[in-house]
């Protein structure tokens, strides 16, 4: 009996150790958009691959729709190690002090996805990710969303149509100047608060790719959407450097592989997700969709060329020129 209780006690004593050895490594992955978006779906896909390939040694907890943190807070949470992984929009890196990332906010900087990928999938993109390391962040990949539409309760066809409109933007000096040069008044508002700001008239309009507009139901409170493709919105998937470098090497390699495949998936679905979302807006019958003619788009582009010229010093001439060189497109010269 005595022997039996000693054996039992010994078993219980080692149990926490065994349990500890088997406890999975948890990656909290926080983001601000809906599940049914390119980023939302890619995050879920990464979770699936990471958990399958590490045979449960890693558990990825995805928190969508700003469930954990809003825009600015999530960056702080990552740096503090309260979450391990994020995929913030590229506009969110300027406020962090990585001003070079604001190159992605320049209006009309990419004419199409092929030009974008020359940057995000080439040396310029990789070089930009490296700039995050002194901030305690490792950049793993770029995930596409898409080209932005403009929305308001009046048709936006000419630059003059923007006059005096309060337009929601992300916190970016480049986007601020973009709206001012169109004659609008920019207002920085967290993504999770945009629907309400539009509904209550705190702002008159906004910009985002269709997938974000549709899944946040912004079209229900915006009568007109202009397909202008005037700018790009996409993401960098980032991790807390200390956490990432502290992972067992084999696990990190497996996760890198999962990220590589999730990135291919993200960039494969992004265009269709946005096309389908625009179709959803159209079908809702609540919003009229305006497509700019080539001449109308050119007039916007011309009105916004000054953003390139004036923001170059802030973003960094070297970065801006490297992007123009990679794309073969210099919209400052219009
Ligand atoms: C926004 O704030 O409009 C976007 O950054 C949201 C997102 O993450 O796509």
């Amino acid at each position: 009996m005595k022997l039996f209780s000693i054996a039992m006690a010994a078993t219980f004593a080692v149990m926490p150790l065994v349990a500890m050895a088997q406890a999975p490594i948890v990656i909290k992955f926080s983001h601000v958009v809906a599940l049914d978006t390119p980023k939302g779906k890619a995050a879920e896909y990464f979770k699936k691959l990471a958990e399958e390939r590490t045979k449960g040694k890693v558990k990825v907890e995805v928190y969508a729709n700003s469930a954990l943190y809003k825009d600015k807070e999530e960056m702080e949470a990552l740096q503090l190690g309260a979450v391990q992984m994020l995929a913030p929009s590229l506009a969110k890196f300027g406020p962090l002090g990585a001003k070079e990332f604001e190159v992605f906010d320049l209006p009309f900087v990419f004419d199409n996805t092929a030009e974008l990928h020359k940057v995000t999938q080439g040396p310029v993109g990789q070089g930009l990710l490296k700039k995050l390391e002194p901030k305690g962040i490792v950049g793993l990949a770029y995930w596409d969303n898409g080209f932005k539409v403009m929305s308001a309760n009046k048709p936006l066809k000419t630059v003059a149509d923007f006059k005096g409109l309060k337009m929601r933007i992300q916190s970016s000096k480049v986007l601020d100047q973009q709206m001012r040069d169109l004659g609008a008044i920019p207002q920085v508002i967290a993504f999770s608060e945009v629907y309400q700001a539009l509904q209550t008239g705190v702002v008159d309009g906004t910009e985002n790719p269709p997938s974000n507009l549709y899944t946040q139901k912004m079209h229900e409170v915006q009568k007109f959407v202009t397909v202008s493709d005037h700018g790009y919105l996409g993401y960098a998937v980032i991790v807390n450097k200390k956490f990432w470098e502290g992972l067992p090497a084999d696990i990190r390699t497996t996760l890198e592989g999962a990220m590589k495949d999730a990135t291919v998936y993200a960039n494969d679905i992004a265009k269709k997700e946005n096309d389908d979302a625009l179709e959803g807006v159209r079908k809702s019958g609540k919003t009229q969709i305006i497509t700019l003619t080539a001449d109308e788009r050119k007039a916007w582009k011309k009105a916004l060329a000054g953003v390139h010229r004036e923001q170059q010093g802030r973003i960094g001439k070297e970065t801006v020129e490297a992007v123009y060189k990679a794309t073969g497109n210099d919209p400052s010269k219009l």
Side-chain angles (χ1 to χ4, degrees):
M1 187 62 199
K2 197 169 172 208
L3 259 183
F4 176 74
S5 30
I6 291 171
M8 285 293 284
T11 310
F12 283 123
V14 297
M15 258 184 62
L17 282 179
V18 172
M20 257 169 66
Q22 288 173 346
I25 297 166
V26 175
I27 297 182
K28 287 191 179 166
F29 184 165
S30 166
H31 69 80
V32 301
V33 297
L35 281 175
D36 210 10
T37 55
K39 177 162 65 174
K41 288 189 174 173
E44 294 301 324
Y45 190 61
F46 170 73
K47 169 186 166 70
K48 178 177 171 312
L49 296 183
E51 291 180 353
E52 274 173 14
R53 292 183 189 175
T54 60
K55 302 195 171 45
K57 284 192 195 132
V58 169
K59 187 169 179 310
V60 182
E61 294 175 357
V62 182
Y63 299 89
N65 257 322
S66 311
L68 273 190
Y69 300 107
K70 289 188 204 168
D71 305 7
K72 200 170 148 256
E73 300 157 4
E74 66 173 19
M75 219 39 128
E76 286 160 11
L78 184 89
Q79 286 182 298
L80 291 170
V83 291
Q84 289 71 37
M85 187 175 278
L86 303 174
S89 75
L90 298 165
K92 305 271 157 62
F93 292 90
L96 193 71
K99 297 198 181 76
E100 298 88 344
F101 278 80
E102 288 185 2
V103 72
F104 291 103
D105 298 339
L106 285 169
F108 298 102
V109 68
F110 307 114
D111 267 336
N112 49 51
T113 310
E115 283 185 13
L116 164 76
H117 285 171
K118 284 189 185 141
V119 175
T120 53
Q121 295 178 9
V124 180
Q126 286 312 307
L128 288 173
L129 292 180
K130 283 265 169 265
K131 297 201 185 284
L132 299 173
E133 297 201 1
K135 300 180 192 307
I137 293 172
V138 175
L140 297 180
Y142 289 96
W143 283 0
D144 291 356
N145 188 341
F147 291 91
K148 292 180 282 189
V149 298
M150 287 278 193
S151 68
N153 281 322
K154 61 178 274 199
L156 300 172
K157 282 180 80 97
T158 67
V159 172
D161 295 331
F162 283 87
K163 194 161 176 53
L165 289 186
K166 281 180 272 158
M167 298 293 287
R168 180 267 171 175
I169 55 162
Q170 303 182 76
S171 177
S172 152
K173 296 286 181 228
V174 172
L175 298 178
D176 184 284
Q177 192 189 342
Q178 170 197 275
M179 289 305 185
R180 286 184 200 281
D181 285 6
L182 290 171
I185 306 152
Q187 307 256 319
V188 174
I189 296 174
F191 184 67
S192 58
E193 289 160 12
V194 180
Y195 175 87
Q196 209 188 351
L198 291 168
Q199 190 188 35
T200 56
V202 168
V203 285
D204 302 306
T206 188
E207 58 167 12
N208 236 307
S211 58
N212 276 347
L213 177 103
Y214 184 59
T215 54
Q216 297 297 320
K217 301 192 177 11
M218 294 179 201
H219 63 291
E220 293 183 359
V221 287
Q222 295 277 266
K223 293 200 177 75
F224 297 91
V225 165
T226 301
V227 180
S228 47
D229 294 337
H230 63 280
Y232 172 71
L233 190 147
Y235 310 103
V237 187
I238 56 175
V239 280
N240 176 290
K241 188 168 185 280
K242 209 165 150 203
F243 166 78
W244 194 247
E245 289 173 355
L247 286 173
D250 59 329
I251 299 267
R252 194 171 49 243
T253 305
T254 306
L255 293 178
E256 278 164 358
M259 183 52 67
K260 205 164 169 222
D261 293 348
T263 300
V264 171
Y265 169 81
N267 298 350
D268 269 358
I269 64 165
K271 176 145 185 1
K272 186 166 186 314
E273 288 291 315
N274 278 300
D275 290 349
D276 289 353
L278 193 62
E279 199 42 39
V281 173
R282 197 187 306 273
K283 280 201 189 128
S284 76
K286 293 185 197 295
T287 315
Q288 195 181 317
I289 296 176
I290 299 162
T291 304
L292 294 185
T293 63
D295 280 349
E296 284 164 344
R297 193 167 179 272
K298 208 165 162 194
W300 287 36
K301 204 168 172 176
K302 206 165 172 192
L304 292 169
V307 184
H308 284 252
R309 293 191 293 269
E310 282 156 50
Q311 295 291 330
Q312 200 179 81
R314 180 190 157 77
I315 299 166
K317 200 167 184 285
E318 209 181 305
T319 302
V320 175
E321 281 177 355
V323 167
Y324 292 165
K325 195 161 172 239
T327 61
N329 184 15
D330 177 352
S332 71
K333 294 224 175 75
L334 277 176

